[in-house]
Amino acid sequence: MIHIRLFTIQPYPVWEILQKTGRYVCNIKLTKHRDYDEFSFRDVYDWLASQMAERIGQPPDDVKYPIWAWYRNDDDFSAWGNAGQKYAIITLDISPYRVVLSDHDAWNSVIGHCPVIYEDDHVKWDAEWERYMRMGKNAIYGTWPRIFRASSAYVQATFWELFLDDVVSVESFISTGFIPDTALG
């Protein structure tokens, strides 16, 4: 069976839950978005969940949002999250049929409710931006599926559930705290 190698950075209690139960799904209480009512990115995460359902199938009944991981990212994660908090870098081998890959840089456009534009020439990029701004919300939202081209140096992966059998290795660290813990899942 074909698998792809991913890694996910999670608060250490996620690893403890996974060891105890053999399965983990996104628990918003373990993220910075603990209060769902104040979760400012809810609409774009709902959009992503709907796109995932189209691409890899509906989530299990007890799942609202995906778990996030990296397919490609060379950053040093020692500063990930809240200073002094323990995290786990969990390396996974997972079936590609359970995963949706997307371009992290383009995802930031989605979070900002902006058009996803792939254009290196700044003049052309500006012209595209202006065109989408004139066309309105529906045109902008129509560009969002472009994130699934996953062409940047930073490719993220989302999937509905994590099983202990997916885990290849785990490394823990105490965060130095320079990068905000804003990732969901």
Side-chain angles (χ1 to χ4, degrees), residues 3-183:
H3 286 85
I4 58 174
R5 180 69 49 106
L6 305 175
F7 61 97
T8 183
I9 298 112
Q10 299 289 337
Y12 199 79
V14 168
W15 171 234
E16 294 171 333
I17 291 167
L18 187 58
Q19 289 177 94
K20 264 187 217 159
T21 67
R23 177 179 179 257
Y24 177 76
V25 298
C26 179
N27 179 346
I28 205 160
K29 290 180 172 69
L30 294 179
T31 72
K32 188 171 185 151
H33 309 296
R34 289 175 184 89
D35 185 350
Y36 183 76
D37 292 333
E38 294 181 15
F39 182 34
S40 61
F41 301 129
R42 179 176 37 214
D43 60 335
V44 295
Y45 282 93
D46 288 344
W47 174 83
L48 178 64
S50 73
Q51 294 293 306
M52 289 178 62
E54 287 179 24
R55 288 167 166 73
I56 60 171
Q58 293 294 324
D61 289 340
D62 61 340
V63 176
K64 171 89 174 154
Y65 292 115
I67 297 169
W68 292 73
W70 291 103
Y71 175 69
R72 189 169 54 228
N73 187 331
D74 295 331
D75 287 349
D76 171 10
F77 289 101
S78 63
W80 186 270
N82 300 316
Q85 185 174 342
K86 189 174 184 180
Y87 288 85
I89 300 174
I90 306 171
T91 302
L92 314 167
D93 272 343
I94 191 167
S95 167
Y97 302 108
R98 293 176 42 209
V99 176
V100 173
L101 298 178
S102 60
D103 185 315
H104 178 262
D105 295 338
W107 171 246
N108 288 321
S109 293
V110 174
I111 287 175
H113 294 87
C114 297
V116 174
I117 301 169
Y118 285 105
E119 180 56 66
D120 291 332
D121 181 294
H122 292 291
V123 173
K124 289 179 182 176
W125 191 96
D126 288 344
E128 279 291 290
W129 174 270
E130 290 301 323
R131 186 171 72 85
Y132 281 111
M133 291 296 121
R134 283 191 307 275
M135 290 170 47
K137 253 193 236 189
N138 288 338
I140 291 169
Y141 296 167
T143 68
W144 289 4
R146 294 176 183 170
I147 70 169
F148 302 113
R149 293 181 184 165
S151 60
S152 78
Y154 298 98
V155 176
Q156 57 193 12
T158 51
F159 49 96
W160 296 125
E161 51 193 344
L162 172 59
F163 297 102
L164 190 55
D165 289 347
D166 298 328
V167 176
V168 172
S169 65
V170 178
E171 193 178 319
S172 65
F173 68 96
I174 304 297
S175 175
T176 57
F178 296 110
I179 300 173
D181 179 12
T182 58

